[in-house]
Amino acid sequence: MFPLEERIYRMRCVEAWSMVIPWVGFSLASLLKKVAPNSRAKYVAFETLYDPQKMPGQENRRLGGGIRYPYVEGLRIDEAMNPLTLMSVGLYGKTLPPQNGAPIRLVVPWKYGFKGIKSIVGIKLLEQQPPTTWNLLAAKEYGFYANVNPNHDHPRWSQASERRITSGGLFSRNRIATLPFNGYGEEVAALYQGMDLSTYY
Amino acid sequence: MVTVKKLRLYTRVWIYQRITKPMKNNNKVFLLKSFIHLAALLPLINLYWQAFADQLGADPVERVIHFTGIGSLNLLLITLCVSPLAKIIKQGYLLQTRRLLGLYAFVYAVFHLINFLAFEVQFDGALFISEVIKRPYITIGMAAFILLSLLAITSLNRLKRKMGKSWQTLHNYSYLLVVVVTVHFYWSVKSELTSPLLYFLLCFIVLAFRLKKLKRSF
């Protein structure tokens, strides 16, 4: 139904590390076009599988890292329709392993990694902005948009640069400057024209 | 020539003597200190060996920072357990191991700071300074490091003698230190709160033994 392709994206975590990852997947846009959203669909909401038997951390907040489950995320409809936004089913040429979000996950390369919700079981089209997990936990630290922005620091660390994770152990020195929209500004900056990105972080 | 038979005999005699004669306190301290050296150094050597060999998972930088940080806090807590323990089991010689434990807490803290400086900010001096000033959890971590350094330096016998009574006053700040380090840990975590809270409980326990002393100073 959706032909798979490999996309090599930079992944920038909100905790100031980054990685280059070859994903396998298809554009979310091609999925959304099938359901033909009407003009009232302003946002897209995603939900992770809630299955404490398979994912024991979901039952116990202390084991599960202190966040509420199921994990929920969302995008504005124009962000979701952007050709860069990927529904991924694999990486490094293989099917997604459970810890990377099997069977299907979201990848939004110009946003911080936590926007990439894993093991998706529900997608809804909404008129209102949906709640998102990390924003519910600490709104001052994690916004709804979460676009990679070197000029807007996280309260506990600078976002101006990042540590690129590669192989090679401790001595592969690799702190590099962080680019606005993780270097995908040409493709996505227009989505946010006229918006104050330090208010809508 | 020493034969295998003779060696065996000597070993047996040595073991027999160890069992029948009570060990001198000096020897106990020597054994304990040897154990502390091994128990503190081997994990550290193993950590860096694995990190350089790229055997610490995807992000070795995070791993070495966390390992040395939590290691330092563990050693601080153990150091503060020594004197209550010596009192409870009435083994005064245990106090002679306390300085070494405290110094290893300092060694781990030095590696923790070096990890952050060398591998996290990668010698970007401006970034390092701005992080220390802007991020409260790093600010108090740095303050704790300075205090711990003072305690380590003044652990030299010569300085201890020179300082007289003020030495004890300075070293009483180790109670504050362990709490500040725990707050540093608590503020640094993203969302998981169980382990920082457990460490607050441990702080409370080691400080509970000093209630009288703490009351006197306030």
Side-chain angles (χ1 to χ4, degrees), chain B residues 168-185:
Chain B
Q168 190 56 56
T169 314
L170 176 64
H171 281 248
N172 282 346
Y173 279 97
S174 55
Y175 308 135
L176 178 68
L177 178 70
V178 75
V179 177
V180 173
V181 172
T182 308
V183 174
H184 165 69
F185 176 41

Side-chain angles (χ1 to χ4, degrees), chain B residues 163-218:
Chain B
M163 287 174 71
K165 270 189 184 167
S166 56
W167 187 89
Q168 190 56 56
T169 314
L170 176 64
H171 281 248
N172 282 346
Y173 279 97
S174 55
Y175 308 135
L176 178 68
L177 178 70
V178 75
V179 177
V180 173
V181 172
T182 308
V183 174
H184 165 69
F185 176 41
Y186 170 63
W187 282 351
S188 74
V189 299
K190 205 167 155 194
S191 66
E192 195 266 338
L193 294 180
T194 314
S195 29
L197 292 178
L198 197 72
Y199 274 94
F200 275 120
L201 183 69
L202 291 174
C203 280
F204 179 77
I205 292 170
V206 297
L207 293 184
F209 285 104
R210 277 95 175 173
L211 267 185
K212 269 188 198 164
K213 194 172 176 183
L214 289 170
K215 268 185 196 159
R216 249 184 285 137
S217 31
F218 290 108

Side-chain angles (χ1 to χ4, degrees), chain B residues 34-218:
Chain B
S34 310
F35 173 76
I36 292 167
H37 280 294
L38 287 178
L41 285 175
L42 289 181
L44 210 53
I45 293 166
N46 179 51
L47 176 76
Y48 284 101
W49 173 258
Q50 288 195 330
F52 296 139
D54 204 5
Q55 296 295 309
L56 277 190
D59 193 359
V61 175
E62 189 185 21
R63 291 281 295 274
V64 294
I65 290 176
H66 288 178
F67 187 91
T68 50
I70 215 74
S72 181
L73 177 53
N74 288 340
L75 282 159
L76 272 179
L77 284 164
I78 294 171
T79 311
L80 288 172
C81 284
V82 172
S83 97
L85 183 71
K87 263 181 220 157
I88 291 166
I89 62 170
K90 297 197 172 73
Q91 304 289 326
Y93 67 88
L94 283 178
L95 288 175
Q96 293 179 53
T97 64
R98 193 170 54 174
R99 170 164 57 185
L100 185 64
L101 285 164
L103 283 173
Y104 269 120
F106 174 64
V107 169
Y108 270 63
V110 169
F111 278 100
H112 182 60
L113 182 62
I114 289 175
N115 288 335
F116 181 70
L117 190 61
F119 305 121
E120 179 67 46
V121 305
Q122 303 185 5
F123 298 113
D124 181 339
L127 177 63
F128 177 73
I129 291 166
S130 81
E131 290 288 276
V132 169
I133 295 168
K134 272 199 219 162
R135 319 287 163 206
Y137 82 99
I138 302 182
T139 315
I140 63 162
M142 203 59 210
F145 180 77
I146 292 167
L147 178 55
L148 182 56
S149 309
L150 285 175
L151 298 184
I153 295 163
T154 55
S155 74
L156 287 167
N157 279 335
R158 237 191 305 165
L159 281 176
K160 188 177 174 180
R161 249 176 280 129
K162 258 191 198 164
M163 287 174 71
K165 270 189 184 167
S166 56
W167 187 89
Q168 190 56 56
T169 314
L170 176 64
H171 281 248
N172 282 346
Y173 279 97
S174 55
Y175 308 135
L176 178 68
L177 178 70
V178 75
V179 177
V180 173
V181 172
T182 308
V183 174
H184 165 69
F185 176 41
Y186 170 63
W187 282 351
S188 74
V189 299
K190 205 167 155 194
S191 66
E192 195 266 338
L193 294 180
T194 314
S195 29
L197 292 178
L198 197 72
Y199 274 94
F200 275 120
L201 183 69
L202 291 174
C203 280
F204 179 77
I205 292 170
V206 297
L207 293 184
F209 285 104
R210 277 95 175 173
L211 267 185
K212 269 188 198 164
K213 194 172 176 183
L214 289 170
K215 268 185 196 159
R216 249 184 285 137
S217 31
F218 290 108

Side-chain angles (χ1 to χ4, degrees), chain A residues 80-124:
Chain A
M81 294 298 284
N82 188 282
L84 285 182
T85 305
L86 188 74
M87 294 301 285
S88 167
V89 294
L91 77 172
Y92 296 104
K94 289 179 188 152
T95 310
L96 279 178
Q99 69 269 26
N100 292 118
I104 190 162
R105 66 169 292 168
L106 183 68
V107 180
V108 196
W110 71 92
K111 292 175 181 288
Y112 293 121
F114 69 85
K115 291 297 285 184
I117 181 169
K118 297 167 171 179
S119 307
I120 298 169
V121 290
I123 301 178
K124 283 184 200 151

